Amino acid sequence: MPPQKLYAGAKLRELRGRLSLTQKAFAEKLGVSLPYLNQMENNNRPVSTAVVLGLAQEFGFDVTELQSGDEARLVGDMREALADPVFTGTAPALADLRLAAANAPTLARAFLELHAAYRQSHERLASLDEALGREDVRLRPSPWEEVRDFFHYCDNYIDAVDRSAERFSSQCPPGETMAEAAIRTLATRQITTVMTGTDAVRHYDAATKTLTISKHASPATQTFQLLLQLALITQDPLLTATLDLARFQSEEARSIAKVGLANYFAGAALMPYGVFLAAAEETRHDLEVLATRFGASLEQVAHRLSTMQRPGAKGIPFFFVRVDQAGTITKRHSATTLQFARYGGACPLWNVHQAFETPGQFLRQLAETPDGARYFCLARDVSKSGGSYSQPTRRYAIGLGCEVKHAPALVYADHMDLGSAAAYAPIGISCRICERRNCHQRSVPPLERHLRVDPNKRGVLPYQLD
C-alpha cells in the first residue's frame, strides 16, 4: 500500500504565523518556491518530504504535530453539533466537514462556539425569570464547557506545567515520598499540614497558613490533594501565565481552569513524564502495577496515560473517559481519532457501561466505529468512599483505549484475536450521527437517514432506515 499523503495546510499557516514570517520568507527558509508553499498551505498539494525535513532542521519543529488529532476532533464535534434538531436541512457531507476542518479550522471552531452559544441561550429560556432579574445576561459559553474544550484542543498536554512538575519531582531526595516532599516544601513557606477527620477532602486557610487534608481519604487521594495545593501556592505565576494565554471569557472559566491546571501539575508530579513513560512501556501499561509503583489510583494512572503527548517523546495515543451510573460523561479526552459525544452519554454498546455490573474486574473489548476504525477498549469500575458509613460512596466507570494497532503493547490485549473481524463490537459516538441500521440500542434515528414506518411490521426498530 502506498504511503498516505500528508495535507497540513492549517499547521503550516499556524507555524508561519507564530514565526511572524511572510510566505516568501517562509518559502525561502524551506527551500521551496512561493507558489508551491501557497499550494501546500491551501491543501492543494501534500507536504513533501523535503519540507518535513526543512521544518525539523530549520525550525526544530516536531513533525509529528503535522498529524495531530485536531482535524478529527473538529470533524467529530461538527458532526455532533449538526445532529442538533435545530438544523432541519440536509447535513453537509462528511467530505465537506473534513475540508472545513483542514482548510479553515478557525471557522470550524467559530461554528462550534456559535452552536454552543445557541445551546446556552436555549437552556436559559427555561429560567427566563431568573435571567431577567440579572443585570448581566450577555450570552457566553458555559465556563465548564469552555475549560473542557481548552484541554481538549491542547491534546490534554500542557508542556510548561508538565515540565515544571517533572522538575519538582526530580529534586526530591531519594526515599522521600511525594506526600512528604509536598509537606516539606509547603513548610518552607510556613504552611502547616494537618490530617484530620474533616468532611472536606482538602481545605487551605490562607489566614492561618494551615492546610487540612482528610484522614479518611485514600493515601493516593491525600498525596494528590497535597500536590494540587502545592501547585496553587508555589506555581501561581506559571498557572497565571497559562491562563492569560488561554483568554477565557469569564472569571468562572478562569477559576475552573486554574484548578484544572493544578490538577494537571499534581498528576504530572506524582507520575513524572520521563520516568512514567519508561515504566508504562516496561510494564506494558499495566494499570495496577503502575498504581502501586507511583502511589496513585487506577483513575489517576489511566488519566495520566492519556496525557503522554510530549513532542518528540510521545507515548501511545490513548483515549480516556469517565462515566457515572446514569451514563453521563464526566471526564473525556482522546488523543486518538475516536471522539466522544460532547452532549449526553456514551454509546450504550461500549463496555464502559458494563463495568458497573462487574465490580473489581477489568473488561476488555475490541470495538469498531462506523468509519471502520478499530480500537482496543479497557473498562473498570471505580468507587470513591465518603470516608464513613454516613457518607455516600460515589461510583464511576473509567474507560481507556487506543487504536488496535497499539494493542500488542498492552498486557490486557494478550490472547485476544485482534485479526478477527467477528471479534469487534460495533460502537458509535452519538445515535444522531451513527448510521448503523439495526442497532438494538438505538435511542433516536440518525440525522442523515430518511425513515420508513410500516404500521404492520416491527423489526429491531419501530422504523426502517433508507
Side-chain angles (χ1 to χ4, degrees):
M1 178 181 294
Q4 186 177 4
K5 295 180 179 179
L6 174 61
Y7 292 89
K11 286 290 182 181
L12 289 176
R13 294 195 303 271
E14 179 186 341
L15 174 61
R16 182 166 60 82
R18 292 207 306 260
L19 297 171
S20 300
L21 293 176
T22 63
Q23 272 195 332
K24 182 179 179 181
F26 195 42
E28 289 175 352
K29 288 182 176 295
L30 292 176
V32 298
S33 67
L34 179 58
Y36 188 75
L37 174 62
N38 185 272
Q39 288 179 318
M40 285 190 295
E41 287 196 354
N42 288 284
N43 282 338
N44 292 325
R45 297 191 68 169
V47 178
S48 67
T49 303
V51 170
V52 171
L53 292 174
L55 289 170
Q57 294 172 359
E58 184 71 25
F59 303 108
F61 184 71
D62 181 8
V63 295
T64 60
E65 291 187 32
L66 293 175
Q67 295 179 308
S68 70
D70 282 5
E71 182 178 332
R73 290 188 182 92
L74 284 171
V75 171
D77 291 347
M78 284 192 292
R79 289 192 73 197
E80 186 178 4
L82 289 165
D84 193 311
V86 70
F87 297 105
T88 57
T90 302
L94 182 58
D96 292 339
L97 298 181
R98 286 172 175 161
L99 282 173
N103 293 329
T106 303
L107 178 62
R109 291 192 179 95
F111 164 74
L112 292 172
E113 290 173 2
L114 180 62
H115 178 256
Y118 157 76
R119 285 183 58 88
Q120 289 297 313
S121 63
H122 184 72
E123 292 170 0
R124 285 172 181 170
L125 286 174
S127 56
L128 184 59
D129 55 334
E130 178 184 353
L132 290 175
R134 297 182 353 221
E135 293 183 3
D136 179 16
V137 293
R138 180 173 61 88
L139 191 62
R140 60 190 180 190
S142 158
W144 191 263
E145 292 175 356
E146 190 181 359
V147 173
R148 180 192 64 182
D149 287 346
F150 164 73
F151 283 100
H152 182 59
Y153 285 106
C154 284
D155 215 14
N156 205 30
Y157 175 76
I158 313 296
D159 188 73
V161 178
D162 204 298
R163 292 182 186 275
S164 178
E166 189 174 32
R167 284 194 296 272
F168 169 79
S169 180
S170 66
Q171 293 167 359
C172 297
E176 185 177 50
T177 67
M178 278 291 98
E180 293 168 344
I183 292 173
R184 173 180 54 79
T185 304
L186 290 170
T188 63
R189 300 196 175 214
Q190 290 75 51
I191 296 174
T192 303
T193 302
V194 178
M195 299 290 179
T196 185
T198 177
D199 290 338
V201 177
R202 169 180 54 87
H203 176 250
Y204 176 62
D205 188 332
T208 63
K209 288 196 169 185
T210 302
L211 173 60
T212 302
I213 302 292
S214 173
K215 66 180 181 181
H216 298 308
S218 68
T221 298
Q222 291 176 351
T223 302
F224 193 89
Q225 293 299 323
L226 283 166
L227 291 169
L228 191 159
Q229 191 65 54
L230 175 82
L232 291 172
I233 294 172
T234 67
Q235 303 295 315
D236 186 68
L238 174 60
L239 303 186
T240 299
T242 305
L243 294 170
D244 290 342
L245 289 173
R247 298 181 180 179
F248 291 106
Q249 297 186 38
S250 67
E251 281 303 315
E252 295 95 328
R254 188 180 174 94
S255 298
I256 294 170
K258 186 171 186 178
V259 175
L261 291 172
N263 271 277
Y264 188 103
F265 180 95
L270 189 60
M271 294 164 278
Y273 197 100
V275 177
F276 183 76
L277 179 60
E281 294 172 347
E282 173 203 339
T283 63
R284 299 183 62 216
H285 303 85
D286 190 317
L287 270 64
E288 291 174 296
V289 174
L290 291 171
T292 300
R293 184 175 299 187
F294 290 91
S297 69
L298 290 177
E299 181 181 341
Q300 290 167 358
V301 170
H303 196 168
R304 182 57 170 153
L305 284 172
S306 74
T307 69
M308 309 302 285
Q309 295 298 300
R310 177 177 292 179
K314 293 187 177 183
I316 290 177
F318 281 103
F319 64 75
F320 168 76
V321 68
R322 188 181 75 179
V323 303
D324 63 18
Q325 289 179 278
T328 304
I329 297 175
T330 59
K331 286 184 180 180
R332 67 175 179 89
H333 169 67
S334 180
T336 72
T337 55
L338 178 66
Q339 303 304 320
F340 304 111
R342 293 164 61 84
Y343 312 107
C347 175
L349 299 179
W350 194 16
N351 68 342
V352 71
H353 301 289
Q354 300 172 15
F356 291 109
E357 303 170 11
T358 56
Q361 298 181 35
F362 284 102
L363 298 183
R364 307 182 300 170
Q365 182 184 39
L366 296 176
E368 182 176 350
T369 51
D371 60 1
R374 291 179 171 179
Y375 301 91
F376 172 80
C377 308
L378 186 70
R380 170 74 185 257
D381 76 301
V382 175
S383 295
K384 298 187 177 184
S385 171
S388 66
Y389 178 76
S390 60
Q391 297 297 319
T393 297
R394 294 173 295 158
R395 297 193 64 202
Y396 299 98
I398 58 173
L400 183 73
C402 60
E403 293 182 39
V404 75
K405 65 182 179 182
H406 300 295
L410 277 65
V411 65
Y412 303 100
D414 288 351
H415 313 300
M416 298 191 78
D417 190 358
L418 304 179
S420 172
Y424 290 82
I427 65 169
I429 298 175
S430 166
C431 285
R432 285 198 174 274
I433 59 176
C434 179
E435 298 184 4
R436 300 190 190 281
R437 293 178 177 271
N438 295 308
C439 176
H440 61 283
Q441 289 289 344
R442 177 176 289 283
S443 58
V444 293
L447 181 70
E448 299 180 8
R449 293 287 184 181
H450 294 291
L451 305 184
R452 288 183 291 105
V453 179
D454 184 348
N456 298 314
K457 181 180 179 180
R458 168 63 194 252
V460 175
L461 301 173
Y463 46 80
Q464 290 79 49
L465 303 176
D466 288 336

